[in-house]
Amino acid sequence: MDCPKCAATMDVIDFQEVSIDRCVNCGGIWLDYLELERLRELPDAASLDLGDEVDASYDEMVYVECPRCYSILDSEEKSEPTFFRYEVCRTCAGSFFDAGELKRMLART
């Protein structure tokens, strides 16, 4: 699979029986349907996200294709405890997090 943001290869990372896709270049993470919910239940899941801070350099991209079904991803915003934006696929229910965003999402739970 290629990264929907920078088009680099994404490695499959196995973490406590959950397989995620992480970009070798920008560190973005693709989660398939229900993988986020499974990660919320696992200790140390935030360690999958290699970003120290949210990498907003790709946030302004408008037409980002889903790496699974090629639909255009929609943006979702979260403001608590701090603002960040991530992408979701309304067709296959996957999510893409730029480096640093998954840590923030998991900190919300």
Side-chain angles (χ1 to χ4, degrees):
M1 170 189 313
D2 292 335
C3 178
K5 294 283 185 100
C6 74
T9 300
M10 297 189 79
D11 284 341
V12 175
I13 309 295
D14 293 317
F15 182 80
Q16 299 181 29
E17 299 183 23
V18 178
S19 294
I20 64 135
D21 300 279
R22 184 172 61 205
C23 180
V24 299
N25 179 52
C26 71
I29 295 174
W30 174 261
L31 300 178
D32 289 316
Y33 178 64
L34 295 179
E35 287 180 338
L36 178 59
E37 286 71 18
R38 291 176 63 200
L39 289 177
R40 288 178 200 250
E41 299 171 357
L42 299 175
D44 301 322
S47 67
L48 291 166
D49 190 341
L50 302 178
D52 292 329
E53 295 292 323
V54 170
D55 180 1
S57 60
Y58 292 105
D59 269 357
E60 301 305 317
M61 291 179 72
V62 178
Y63 298 105
V64 179
E65 283 188 357
C66 173
R68 292 281 186 228
C69 71
Y70 306 106
S71 297
I72 299 299
L73 300 177
D74 288 334
S75 290
E76 290 282 328
E77 295 179 352
K78 301 293 181 188
S79 58
E80 297 294 330
T82 57
F83 176 83
F84 69 97
R85 180 182 301 130
Y86 67 102
E87 287 74 33
V88 295
C89 180
R90 301 292 180 212
T91 304
C92 68
S95 302
F96 184 81
F97 297 89
D98 294 319
E101 292 175 346
L102 182 61
K103 283 182 184 175
R104 288 193 180 182
M105 178 62 87
L106 294 173
R108 298 175 43 108
T109 57

